Amino acid sequence: MAAAVESVVVVHNVAKRHNVGTLARSATAFGVAEVVVVGRRDVSAFGSHGATSHLRFRHFASLALARAYLKDERGCDICGVEITDDAQPVTAHPFRRSTAFLFGNEGTGLSQKECEICDFFVYIPQYGGGTASLNVTVAASIVLHHFAVWAGFPERGREGNKFIVADRPQGYSRGLYCTDSIEAVIEERKMRKENACDILEENGSSHPQESNGLDLMFTD
């Protein structure tokens, strides 16, 4: 390959906050350059076993802002991990350049809006009949491993029966790198308020719940 390629993980409104921590562990194992968090910011580092200290996290209020960053600044293809009519098996390694992988909600998969920002899709072939789908962190591990093999990432050194863990980067902070403009934060607040109203209307309630603050810190 003429130039080095990178992989990026995109997480949008993940349903189970602790899945971000376990996903971060897989991301570091398979050479991911950055994790882009879209939507909710209150993610958890639980299950990461310190892996979040070796990753760069970046937050965007909307999918449109995240897509602009991934396409314009990073030059990535955006790959949705979902079974669609035109999805290719990940075993075929249908990659061309640096790729951002979008993983959907654990319960419903990728939404229509998420699918609209994707350039192509991959799915993970299954060979047994006991389950219809995989946990998002398991699926991420499989897909990221395949990309690492295709990209030719160098295998990490081993010591005894484990891989060598790099020193924690200096100046490490557990906060996300916020790239939102003031306008984007205002738009996020507006979206959160509208979503809360929609939920209230569906539930027949007239007492809105207070939204979480806009803190960028991981929770344990």
Side-chain angles (χ1 to χ4, degrees), residues 106-177:
E106 297 89 334
T108 58
L110 293 179
S111 67
Q112 181 177 345
K113 287 186 177 180
E114 290 169 332
C115 289
E116 288 173 355
I117 73 166
C118 295
D119 298 303
F120 68 104
F121 299 88
V122 297
Y123 72 93
I124 301 168
Q126 291 188 189
Y127 307 99
T131 184
S133 63
L134 298 172
N135 174 276
V136 65
T137 56
V138 174
S141 296
I142 294 171
V143 170
L144 295 174
H145 178 267
H146 274 284
F147 184 85
V149 171
W150 171 82
F153 291 167
E155 183 177 324
R156 187 71 183 171
R158 289 168 288 175
E159 190 174 87
N161 62 353
K162 292 189 177 182
F163 289 92
I164 299 172
V165 177
D167 294 333
R168 178 175 292 189
Q170 293 184 352
Y172 158 65
S173 170
R174 293 181 66 185
L176 298 180
Y177 290 82

Side-chain angles (χ1 to χ4, degrees), residues 14 18 23 42 53-54 70 86 97 99 119 126-127 131 133 135 138 170 172 184 190 192 196-197 200 203 209:
V14 64
H18 66 270
L23 194 151
D42 52 336
S53 64
H54 298 275
L70 293 167
D86 58 349
R97 58 179 65 90
T99 303
D119 298 303
Q126 291 188 189
Y127 307 99
T131 184
S133 63
N135 174 276
V138 174
Q170 293 184 352
Y172 158 65
K190 180 180 177 182
R192 289 164 72 95
C197 291
L200 291 170
N203 294 339
Q209 295 180 350

